[in-house]
Amino acid sequence: MTADVGALASVALTLSTVLVTPMAGRIADVYGARPTLLAITTIAVLGGSVSALATIFPLFVLGQFLQGFGLGLLPVSVVVLRRTLSSEQLKTATGLLGAVVVAGGVLGVVLAGPVAENISRTAMYAVPTAFVLLGALAFAVSTPRDHNSNGGGRLDWPGAAGLALGLLTLTAWLASDGWSAPTSMLLVLAAAAVFSIWARYQSRTHEPMVDLTMMRHRSMWNAVVIGVVFGFTYGAVVYLLPQQLAAPPESGFGRGASTSAIGILLCLGYGAAVIASVISGKLAQRVGTKAIAVAGVAFLGLSGAVGVLAPTMWQIVVVLILAGTGVAAASTAVFVISADSAPADRVGVTTAIVTIARSLGSAVGTQLAAGIIASATSSGGLPQHSAFATAFGVATIVAIVGLVVAVTMPKPASTDVQWSSSSSSKSATPRFQ
């Protein structure tokens, strides 16, 4: 099949992720994390099974759409951690959670090709699906029912639908070919209109999907901004490096590396992220979450700055390690901040908002980097190093903006300030000021 038809599977996965992530977080807040997590894993297992056994492409696309529900597990997992652990334990546990997520990504990148080539495409989807099923069973057996864990309240279905529509419209714009094209501009205007109507409705609803009063709190919007920044920078870096490595040697800087060689090299960055996730969670207990956020964004900025230079192999390795370390530290910090600063009945949805901010930032960073490279390709079809330097420079500038936000964010502190929304009146006082 053609590339554009094959891309429908990726589009289906993205659409379900955008739809499910905020919904999963809020459902976990209202109805409890345990049933929400088990429901999501059930749908994800069904999607993986359909993807593995599909004999026609439309059925495979449906499987990918259902499998995308699994990415809603992150905010639900944070709800479990917040309701189980103390504030200090939450920092370490969030770092460990990040390490597990990154390690899973590494296994997927490394094993997918060999499994598909030596066994079958069916096995490539069936094996990880089996592990998801085992994990769900282990969680169900080891986690007792807690009838007092529910946050209470109700689910704002119109607010959820409005948020989903706005995010889908924004995602469609990000996936469009030319951002300045008339159709793309119409998508931007449509997204702006949807979000404006949605925000007005949320501000007047008794128990909104997203408490906008809470989102105006400094610790929360700082976390969202940093999420966009490190998503943008990391997305641009991990897009640019494989392009550099795969460029033909006659370009003057490329190495003509194969896909397998690039995948192995990228594992250096993933390995650094796994280690940094664990260490950053531990360090946050000693130096504070703000310091970890500052360090993470600084490492990401350095990765872009080094990427501007001539791409020798040791510099590429340095960029990968800096980027992996930075994204792991920044992720740990913003998820701890969003979970620890939110009221107890809003942890899932705030974590979901940060997750979406990171994903949207990554999409923008990747698309912008790709546009810069495409605009500077020589007449012979060879990429120019100046274009890569420009793209890395843009990523560095964005990271510097995030660094300013991280440095000026408030430090963790006890506070007597209560959220003003009625939905949070019975919740715990936020631990960030």
Side-chain angles (χ1 to χ4, degrees), residues 51 69 77 117 123 248 274 338 345 356 361-362 379 383 391 410-411 414:
S51 298
F69 277 58
S77 300
E117 292 172 0
V274 171
S338 62
D345 66 338
I356 292 171
S362 179
S379 57
K411 291 183 178 181
S414 297

Side-chain angles (χ1 to χ4, degrees), residues 202-255:
Q202 293 293 278
S203 64
R204 297 183 176 186
T205 303
H206 178 62
E207 293 188 24
M209 174 70 181
V210 178
D211 187 349
L212 297 182
T213 302
M214 176 187 66
M215 296 307 300
R216 287 196 295 266
H217 203 272
R218 272 195 73 185
S219 61
M220 287 307 308
W221 69 257
N222 282 162
V224 171
V225 171
I226 294 174
V228 172
V229 166
F230 78 70
F232 181 101
T233 305
Y234 188 72
V237 169
V238 297
Y239 169 80
L240 291 169
L241 284 180
Q243 301 299 318
Q244 279 190 337
L245 291 167
E250 51 265 30
S251 65
F253 62 90
R255 298 182 178 274

Side-chain angles (χ1 to χ4, degrees), residues 367-378:
Q367 289 281 64
L368 188 59
I372 293 173
I373 300 303
S375 65
T377 302
S378 65

Side-chain angles (χ1 to χ4, degrees), residues 63-102:
Q64 289 296 280
F65 180 83
L66 296 176
Q67 199 168 344
F69 277 58
L71 296 177
L73 289 173
L74 182 58
V76 181
S77 300
V78 175
V79 172
V80 174
L81 297 180
R82 166 68 188 269
R83 292 181 178 177
T84 307
L85 306 173
S86 66
S87 178
E88 291 303 309
Q89 291 173 325
L90 179 65
K91 298 172 182 177
T92 301
T94 303
L96 291 173
L97 177 63
V100 171
V101 171
V102 175

Side-chain angles (χ1 to χ4, degrees), residues 5-347:
V5 174
L8 289 174
S10 177
V11 171
L13 196 73
T14 301
L15 290 178
S16 61
T17 300
V18 170
L19 288 170
V20 169
T21 301
M23 285 289 294
R26 184 58 185 146
I27 290 173
D29 288 331
V30 175
Y31 299 109
R34 187 178 190 275
T36 306
L37 190 145
L38 293 177
I40 289 176
T41 51
T42 299
I43 297 173
V45 167
L46 176 61
S49 302
V50 171
S51 298
L53 301 174
T55 56
I56 57 175
F57 185 66
L59 191 59
F60 175 73
V61 173
L62 173 62
Q64 289 296 280
F65 180 83
L66 296 176
Q67 199 168 344
F69 277 58
L71 296 177
L73 289 173
L74 182 58
V76 181
S77 300
V78 175
V79 172
V80 174
L81 297 180
R82 166 68 188 269
R83 292 181 178 177
T84 307
L85 306 173
S86 66
S87 178
E88 291 303 309
Q89 291 173 325
L90 179 65
K91 298 172 182 177
T92 301
T94 303
L96 291 173
L97 177 63
V100 171
V101 171
V102 175
V106 175
L107 288 175
V109 170
V110 174
L111 297 180
V115 170
E117 292 172 0
N118 296 301
I119 305 178
S120 67
R121 180 197 65 82
T122 296
M124 185 176 68
Y125 288 94
V127 171
T129 299
F131 277 102
V132 174
L133 178 59
L134 290 174
L137 293 174
F139 178 81
V141 171
S142 63
T143 308
R145 295 180 181 273
D146 184 0
H147 299 288
N148 297 321
S149 66
N150 293 8
R154 67 177 183 86
L155 188 62
D156 175 22
W157 289 105
L163 178 60
L165 179 60
L167 290 172
L168 287 176
T169 308
L170 193 59
T171 302
W173 169 69
L174 291 173
S176 60
D177 292 331
W179 287 353
S180 59
T183 53
S184 297
M185 298 306 297
L186 286 176
L187 287 173
V188 173
L189 294 175
V194 170
F195 280 125
S196 297
I197 297 171
W198 173 79
R200 186 176 181 85
Y201 171 78
Q202 293 293 278
S203 64
R204 297 183 176 186
T205 303
H206 178 62
E207 293 188 24
M209 174 70 181
V210 178
D211 187 349
L212 297 182
T213 302
M214 176 187 66
M215 296 307 300
R216 287 196 295 266
H217 203 272
R218 272 195 73 185
S219 61
M220 287 307 308
W221 69 257
N222 282 162
V224 171
V225 171
I226 294 174
V228 172
V229 166
F230 78 70
F232 181 101
T233 305
Y234 188 72
V237 169
V238 297
Y239 169 80
L240 291 169
L241 284 180
Q243 301 299 318
Q244 279 190 337
L245 291 167
E250 51 265 30
S251 65
F253 62 90
R255 298 182 178 274
S258 65
T259 302
S260 298
I262 293 172
I264 293 173
L265 193 60
L266 287 175
C267 286
L268 291 173
Y270 293 137
V274 171
I275 296 171
S277 294
V278 177
I279 294 176
S280 60
K282 288 285 188 181
L283 282 179
Q285 293 183 331
R286 296 190 177 188
V287 301
T289 311
K290 175 181 177 178
I292 299 300
V294 171
V297 179
F299 275 117
L300 282 168
L302 285 174
S303 72
V306 176
V308 173
L309 306 175
T312 61
M313 185 55 69
W314 74 266
Q315 287 170 336
I316 290 175
V317 171
V318 169
V319 171
L320 285 169
I321 293 175
L322 287 173
T325 302
V327 74
S331 295
T332 300
V334 296
F335 284 127
V336 170
I337 290 172
S338 62
D340 211 20
S341 62
D345 66 338
R346 292 282 170 176
V347 174

